[in-house]
Amino acid sequence: MGIRFTKAGVIYIILTIFMGFSAINTNNNLVFLVVSFMLAIMGISGFLGKANIEKLNVRIHPVEDPFAKRGSRFILEIKNGKRYLPSILLKTNLRDREITFIILKPLSSIRQETILKFDRRGRILLDDVMVSSPFPFNFFVRYKKYHINEEIIVFPEIGEKSFFNFNRNAEQNTTSTNDKITMKLEELSNIRSYSNDPAKRIFWKQFAKTGELYTKEYTGEDSESFRLYFEDILKLYPLEEAIKIATKTVLEAYNNSIPLTFTISNETYNVKTDADKRSVLKRLALYDA
């Protein structure tokens, strides 16, 4: 726990010291009484200020899956463990995001939403939350660090391009009150390493760049599943860029109800449900992290 003097507190202390010297020099009982009252106010301020930020329990809960380089919603919850005293004018600071709680009744809790942004993927430890308050007279700001030790998995940054590009069909069903938008997969769906494939499927542009043979895979509208091999993406792009592309591809496939088979490090995932999607994103988040 620490304490920081405010401008009002500094002025009050200087005034109290001045009044104390005046009481000694004048030997005036009334001035002594005023000084005693001012010291009592300072003592009460210290006692109430310390008790105000004691016995709190702070927790953080994600509202949505966090992605690197983008703001994600979290719920910050504070519980007051004091039996009789409320906590007033609390201010929390978590990763430079401040939230103010006006009043927290005894043995109650309060929640408030905040936005957190992470610069990298992988495991992130939210270890400390700083709680401060100027209560009761704004003479001092007392602060205390609370440990939350909450580990979260931050999914990779979402790239701008993917191996799946979905186009909207502008057809509209005029007999229905709702617009029907058909998602159609473009002809080229994947690029993989060459393996005795027909010459017409060879990706010659990539061969000109890298000197290695790759095969283009095509899909029709009635395809049931699409395959994506992460190791093949790594042959074309740097690690972080490959992870961004894979993340974008997985999200687009899931959001558009396109069955996707994703293979990474000999692990195969069939991306059909939300749990499948989160498993793949977690695997990408922890890849070489």
Side-chain angles (χ1 to χ4, degrees), residues 220-281:
E221 294 180 348
D222 57 349
S223 297
E224 294 182 356
S225 180
F226 308 103
R227 293 184 175 274
L228 181 64
Y229 298 89
F230 182 67
E231 279 65 26
D232 286 339
I233 306 178
L234 278 177
K235 295 176 182 178
L236 303 176
Y237 299 95
L239 175 61
E240 292 303 323
E241 184 66 21
I243 290 177
K244 293 178 186 179
I245 292 173
T247 300
K248 177 76 169 179
T249 303
V250 170
L251 289 175
E252 285 192 349
Y254 173 77
N255 292 335
N256 292 281
S257 301
I258 303 296
L260 170 67
T261 300
F262 181 79
T263 301
I264 177 173
S265 300
N266 296 323
E267 301 173 17
T268 300
Y269 301 85
N270 293 314
V271 184
K272 295 181 179 179
T273 66
D274 182 69
D276 297 333
K277 176 199 71 176
R278 298 182 78 255
S279 295
V280 174
L281 294 178

Side-chain angles (χ1 to χ4, degrees), residues 168-183:
R168 288 189 173 179
N169 190 335
E171 294 179 359
Q172 182 177 6
N173 186 352
T174 56
T175 61
S176 174
T177 57
N178 296 324
D179 293 339
K180 290 186 176 180
I181 299 178
T182 303
M183 304 308 296

Side-chain angles (χ1 to χ4, degrees), residues 2-118:
I3 186 172
R4 183 176 70 251
F5 291 99
T6 65
K7 184 177 180 179
V10 172
I11 294 175
Y12 188 85
I13 291 174
I14 293 175
L15 183 60
T16 302
I17 295 174
F18 175 78
M19 292 296 294
F21 280 115
S22 299
I24 294 174
N25 291 333
T26 61
N27 201 23
N28 188 311
N29 291 335
L30 180 59
V31 179
F32 274 115
L33 187 63
V34 172
V35 172
S36 299
F37 178 77
M38 294 177 72
L39 290 174
I41 292 295
M42 192 180 301
I44 293 172
S45 174
F47 172 77
L48 292 179
K50 182 176 182 298
N52 190 56
I53 60 174
E54 290 281 7
K55 296 184 179 181
L56 300 176
N57 188 9
V58 185
R59 288 289 178 267
I60 187 80
H61 310 285
V63 177
E64 58 189 3
D65 293 327
F67 288 85
K69 302 296 181 64
R70 108 171 11 188
S72 303
R73 294 185 299 149
F74 285 78
I75 292 294
L76 185 67
E77 179 181 13
I78 300 183
K79 182 178 180 180
N80 184 5
K82 296 186 288 291
R83 186 178 296 272
Y84 302 109
L85 295 177
S87 289
I88 302 172
L89 294 178
L90 298 177
K91 180 180 289 186
T92 63
N93 188 307
L94 175 62
R95 299 179 67 89
D96 297 326
R97 297 288 298 187
E98 292 187 345
I99 304 177
T100 299
F101 299 88
I102 302 301
I103 186 168
L104 182 56
K105 297 179 180 179
L107 299 179
S108 66
S109 62
I110 191 171
R111 294 184 173 190
Q112 193 161 324
E113 186 174 296
T114 185
I115 302 295
L116 298 181
K117 188 176 181 180
F118 304 94

Side-chain angles (χ1 to χ4, degrees), residues 126-142:
L126 301 176
D127 49 359
D128 297 321
V129 175
M130 187 67 71
V131 180
S132 61
S133 176
F135 181 81
F137 304 124
N138 198 30
F139 292 158
F140 321 100
V141 175
R142 288 189 175 271

Side-chain angles (χ1 to χ4, degrees), residues 161-172:
K161 53 187 176 181
S162 71
F163 277 103
F164 293 129
N165 297 302
F166 296 103
N167 294 322
R168 288 189 173 179
N169 190 335
E171 294 179 359
Q172 182 177 6

